[in-house]
Amino acid sequence: MCAVRGLTKTYAAVKGRRGAPGVPEVRATDGVELDVRRGEIFGLLGPNGAGKSTLVRQLTGLLRPDSGGVEILGHDIVRHPERAARILAYLGQESSALDELTVSLAAETTGRLRGLDARQARGERDAVLEELGLTPIAGRALKKLSGGQRRLACFAAALVGERPLLVLDEPTTGMDPVARRAVWAAVDRRRAERGTTVVLVTHNVIEAETVLDRVAVLDQGRVIACDTPAGLKERVAGEVRVELVWRDRAPLDVPEVAVLRERAVESGRRWTLRLAPEEARAAVATVTGGAAFAALDDFTLATPSLEDVYLALGGAARQGLVKA
Amino acid sequence: MSVVPAEVLPGGALGVEETAPGGGAAAELGPRARLWPSLAAVYRAQLSRARVARIPLLFVATFQSVGIMIMMRGVVDSRGEAQSVVAGSSVVVVAYVALNLLAQYFGQLRASGGLDHYATLPVPPASVVLGAAAAYASFTVPGTLVTAAFGCVLFGLPLGNLWILVAVIPLAGAALAGLGAACGLLAPRPELATLLGQLGMSAALLLGVLPPDRMPGIIRLARDLLPSTYGVEAYARTFGAHPDWAVVLVDLGVCAGVGVVSLAVATWAYRRAAVR
Ligand SMILES: Nc1ncnc2c1ncn2[C@@H]1O[C@H](COP(=O)(O)OP(=O)(O)OP(=O)(O)O)[C@@H](O)[C@H]1O
Ligand SMILES: [Mg+2]
C-alpha cells in the first residue's frame, strides 16, 4: 500500500553568522525502507529529532527527498507529489492554518478543499464533530481552545473528506484519555468499515503498545527495528526492568548498590536497570533488605516495554522515550 | 492492538487494491477541488478569520487615515490638493490591510508550517492566494468608505461619485494584495515579510497622500511605480464637475493589469513555498 525505498534527506548546513555558531548538516532520514500494508495502523516511534516528521513529510509530498522512492497505492509520490493530496489526509504537528477559524468552519473548509461539494462538506463536518464529541465547542475559534481540544479539532478536519490513507504526526499530543479514546475509536471505525490505513508518529510508548499493529523504531534517521509491538518486546523477553527511586540519594557505601550503579540509567533520584530475572531478584533482595532499604523510596519490577526495546536496540537517547 | 485484524478487512470493493510495484493499475485518485468552489471556501474562511482577529486593526487603519486628513487640512490650499489627500487617505486603508496585513499573514503562515495544511489538500494554488487576497480586500471596504465620506465632508468635496470606490477598492485591492501576498511568500523570514509589508504601506501613505505637484522628480517616479497611485488618481479625478472618464478608465486599467501580474506572481510564489 505504501512502500518506502532508500529514502534519504539531508538538511543543508547553515553557516554561523557573527557570534552565532553554525548548524552542521543533518541527515534527517537515512536510507529508510518501509512497507505499510493496507488496513494497518503503522507507527513511527523514536526520540525527538529522530527524523519522524521529516519522514512523514516526504510521504505526503511536502518535502522532496534527496534520493529514494515513495510509492502509495501505485503512485510515485516523489515524481508526482501533487497526487499525495488526493490519496491521503495529513495531520501535521502545526495547526497555524486553522488557528483563527471556528472548529466547525475549519472542518467544513478543509472538506471543501478536499473536493467535497457544499452539502457533503457540511454533512461530513457534522458527522465527524459529533463522532469526536466536538459539537459543544463547534462554534469556538481553535485559538481559544485548550491544547488537547485544538489537536482534536485538527484531527476532525483531517477526517472530513474520506481518504484511504491517514498520515498523522503525533495526533494525540496533549489530549486527555477521553479525547485519545475518541481518536482511536474513529481510526478503528474507518479501518473496519473502509479499510483505511494509518501511518502515525508517536512518542507515547503506552499508546504504541496498545493501538499499533506494527512499529518502526527510528533513531538518527535510520529504522533500527520494525515489527509488531509484541515481536519487538520478544527481543528483550529475557529481561526484567527494575526501577529504583531513592529517598535522598543512593547509598553508595553499600557495595552491592555501588555495583548496580554501573548498570543503571540514572535520572535524578531514579535508577532504571535492565537485568536478567535472577539478577533482578538479587537486586531487589539487596535494596529491600539491610542498609539500602532505609534509603529506598520506591521500587518497581516490570516486564519490558517498548522503551526497553528501544534502549536495548542502542537508541542514542539514553534517557529513553517520553512516556506520557 | 486494534480490535480489527488487518487480514479481515473489506477488500477490493473500495477500489483501493494493492498493486505490485511496476505492474497493475494504480488506485483511483480522490477528487480535485475545483477552482471557484475552493476559492469561495477560502474566501469565506479568511473573511471570518479577518473578522475575528483584525477588526481592531481596521479601526487603526481608518483612524490613521482620518487623522492624516485632519492634519493635512491646515496645509492644503487648493481644491486639487484636497482631492489628492482624500483619495490618497482612502486608498491607504486598502494598502494597510491588503498589502501590510496580508504580507504578514503569509509570512507567518509560511514560517510556522501552516502552508502544509493547504499543500496537502488537492486545492489549486490560485484558489488559496486569490481567496485570501479577495477576503483581505473586501475587509477594507467599510474603512475605505468611512474614510472617503469623512474626507469629502471635511474638505467640502461632492459625495456624488463615491460609487467609483466600487471599482477602485477591488482593483487597487487586487494589485496591493497580490504584492502583499508575494512579499509574504517570497521573504525568506517572517520578519522580512512584515518589514516589506510595512515599507509598502509607508510608501503608499507618503506617496499617495501628499499632493504630487510638490514632489521632486525622482520621488514622483517612485510614485508612478506604485500601483496604489493609479487607484488614488482614478478616484481623485472623479471629484471634478466633468471628470474625464477615459483617463479614469486608463488608471483603473493599470490597477487591474498590475493586479493580474502581482496575483500571478503570488500564485507562483505560493506554489514554490508550498513544495519545498
Ligand atoms: N527545516 C529544517 N532545517 C534544518 N534541519 C531540520 C529542519 N527540520 C528538522 N531538522 C532537523 O532534522 C532532524 C529530524 O527532525 P524531525 O523534525 O524530523 O524530528 P522528529 O523525529 O519529528 O522529532 P520530534 O519528535 O521532536 O517531532 C533534527 O535533527 C532536526 O533538527
Ligand atoms: Mg516531529
Side-chain angles (χ1 to χ4, degrees):
Chain A
M1 142 107 209
C2 170
V4 176
R5 294 285 167 264
L7 207 61
T8 301
K9 173 77 194 176
T10 307
Y11 290 111
V14 180
K15 277 214 195 86
R17 299 194 194 174
R18 273 168 294 149
V23 182
E25 68 169 28
V26 180
R27 178 157 290 199
T29 56
D30 192 354
V32 171
E33 309 259 333
L34 292 175
D35 278 291
V36 181
R37 300 177 201 132
R38 185 164 175 281
E40 214 174 22
I41 301 184
F42 189 93
L44 298 168
L45 186 68
N48 293 134
K52 305 178 297 295
S53 294
T54 306
L55 174 57
V56 294
R57 287 171 52 80
Q58 292 174 88
L59 294 185
T60 51
L62 286 170
L63 199 64
R64 199 176 178 70
D66 298 335
S67 64
V70 176
E71 194 182 278
I72 301 177
L73 287 168
H75 294 278
D76 181 344
I77 298 301
V78 176
R79 195 176 304 159
H80 306 286
E82 75 287 350
R83 288 188 192 168
R86 297 167 66 186
I87 304 176
L88 57 86
Y90 170 65
L91 173 64
Q93 250 175 315
E94 297 294 333
S95 68
S96 54
L98 301 175
D99 266 352
E100 282 156 330
L101 304 180
T102 62
V103 175
S104 148
L105 191 56
E108 184 186 340
T109 306
T110 307
R112 294 282 276 148
L113 301 187
R114 214 168 257 138
L116 301 183
D117 69 34
R119 207 172 47 80
Q120 284 173 322
R122 278 197 301 273
E124 287 207 25
R125 170 200 70 189
D126 293 340
V128 168
L129 295 189
E130 190 63 45
E131 180 180 7
L132 295 175
L134 286 170
T135 312
I137 54 168
R140 288 173 57 190
L142 262 73
K143 228 177 157 175
K144 305 257 167 78
L145 299 177
S146 74
Q149 290 173 325
R150 191 179 319 146
R151 201 75 192 128
L152 193 59
C154 291
F155 177 68
L159 293 185
V160 178
E162 186 198 331
R163 290 285 188 263
L165 174 63
L166 298 176
V167 178
L168 312 172
D169 199 342
E170 302 190 20
T172 54
T173 304
M175 288 187 190
D176 67 18
V178 177
R180 274 167 206 264
R181 205 167 306 147
V183 168
W184 298 126
V187 163
D188 253 353
R189 186 165 316 129
R190 276 157 189 74
R191 183 162 91 131
E193 288 170 6
R194 308 164 193 169
T196 306
T197 308
V198 183
V199 173
L200 70 96
V201 173
T202 180
H203 278 295
N204 189 323
V205 180
I206 297 168
E207 199 163 276
E209 292 194 30
T210 50
V211 303
L212 301 178
D213 295 316
R214 284 196 306 147
V215 196
V217 182
L218 237 72
D219 185 49
Q220 298 187 328
R222 274 189 292 268
V223 176
I224 54 175
C226 181
D227 203 342
T228 60
L232 284 177
K233 284 201 281 187
E234 240 162 57
R235 301 188 187 194
V236 288
E239 292 181 330
V240 176
R241 190 181 65 223
V242 181
E243 296 210 351
L244 306 174
V245 184
W246 304 106
R247 266 180 215 290
D248 202 0
R249 54 195 167 74
L252 293 175
D253 46 337
V254 180
E256 291 91 338
V257 174
V259 170
L260 284 179
R261 184 187 195 176
E262 283 155 30
R263 305 190 48 187
V265 177
E266 294 180 49
S267 70
R269 296 184 295 124
R270 177 186 299 268
W271 288 11
T272 305
L273 299 115
R274 288 190 297 109
L275 302 170
E278 60 280 6
E279 289 175 314
R281 228 170 288 132
V284 169
T286 303
V287 297
T288 53
F293 189 59
L296 192 68
D297 188 15
D298 190 14
F299 77 95
T300 48
L301 269 181
T303 51
S305 69
L306 279 182
E307 181 166 340
D308 300 292
V309 176
Y310 172 76
L311 291 172
L313 288 167
R318 300 302 304 182
Q319 294 303 319
L321 301 163
V322 180
K323 193 160 126 195
Chain B
M1 206 148 311
S2 178
V3 293
V4 190
E7 294 75 41
V8 300
L9 292 165
L14 291 153
V16 275
E17 261 309 291
E18 296 270 348
T19 48
E28 217 177 291
L29 295 171
R32 217 193 284 270
R34 280 170 304 124
L35 177 72
W36 291 107
S38 46
L39 196 159
V42 172
Y43 176 81
R44 185 170 157 229
Q46 291 289 353
L47 201 62
S48 99
R49 250 194 82 241
R51 258 208 318 265
V52 173
R54 304 284 175 271
I55 282 197
L57 293 173
L58 184 63
F59 273 106
V60 171
T62 312
F63 281 131
Q64 169 182 279
S65 288
V66 167
I68 290 166
M69 290 190 300
I70 293 174
M71 281 194 317
M72 294 299 285
R73 203 171 124 80
V75 188
V76 166
D77 42 23
S78 76
R79 192 180 160 81
E81 285 183 356
Q83 291 169 359
S84 308
V85 170
V86 174
S89 303
S90 308
V91 174
V92 162
V93 180
V94 181
Y96 184 88
V97 175
L99 200 151
N100 182 17
L101 295 185
L102 195 59
Q104 261 180 48
Y105 171 67
F106 272 120
Q108 277 159 12
L109 194 64
R110 178 172 168 218
S112 66
L115 284 181
D116 287 3
H117 176 75
Y118 292 109
T120 48
L121 294 170
V123 52
S127 302
V128 178
V129 173
L130 293 179
Y136 273 67
S138 33
F139 183 58
T140 67
V141 169
T144 313
L145 287 179
V146 167
T147 307
F150 181 87
C152 288
V153 173
L154 188 70
F155 288 92
L157 298 174
L159 285 155
N161 282 335
L162 223 55
W163 59 264
I164 190 73
L165 286 176
V166 172
V168 170
I169 295 176
L171 294 175
L176 292 169
L179 273 184
C183 287
L185 289 165
L186 290 172
R189 280 180 298 147
E191 311 87 75
L192 269 177
T194 305
L195 186 76
L196 286 175
Q198 302 267 5
L199 281 178
M201 221 283 292
S202 306
L205 191 115
L206 294 173
L207 302 175
V209 174
L210 297 177
D213 327 333
R214 301 193 188 175
M215 291 178 183
I218 176 99
I219 304 232
R220 214 177 303 175
L221 182 72
R223 183 176 183 274
D224 290 343
L225 286 176
L226 199 71
S228 63
T229 302
Y230 298 91
V232 175
E233 300 251 291
Y235 178 28
R237 283 182 214 287
T238 63
F239 287 122
H242 305 286
D244 188 344
W245 292 107
V247 185
V248 172
L249 270 182
V250 170
D251 280 335
L252 290 177
V254 173
C255 272
V258 175
V260 168
V261 172
S262 68
L263 286 169
V265 171
T267 302
W268 168 81
Y270 166 86
R271 217 187 281 266
R272 178 175 165 275
V275 183
R276 270 172 292 180

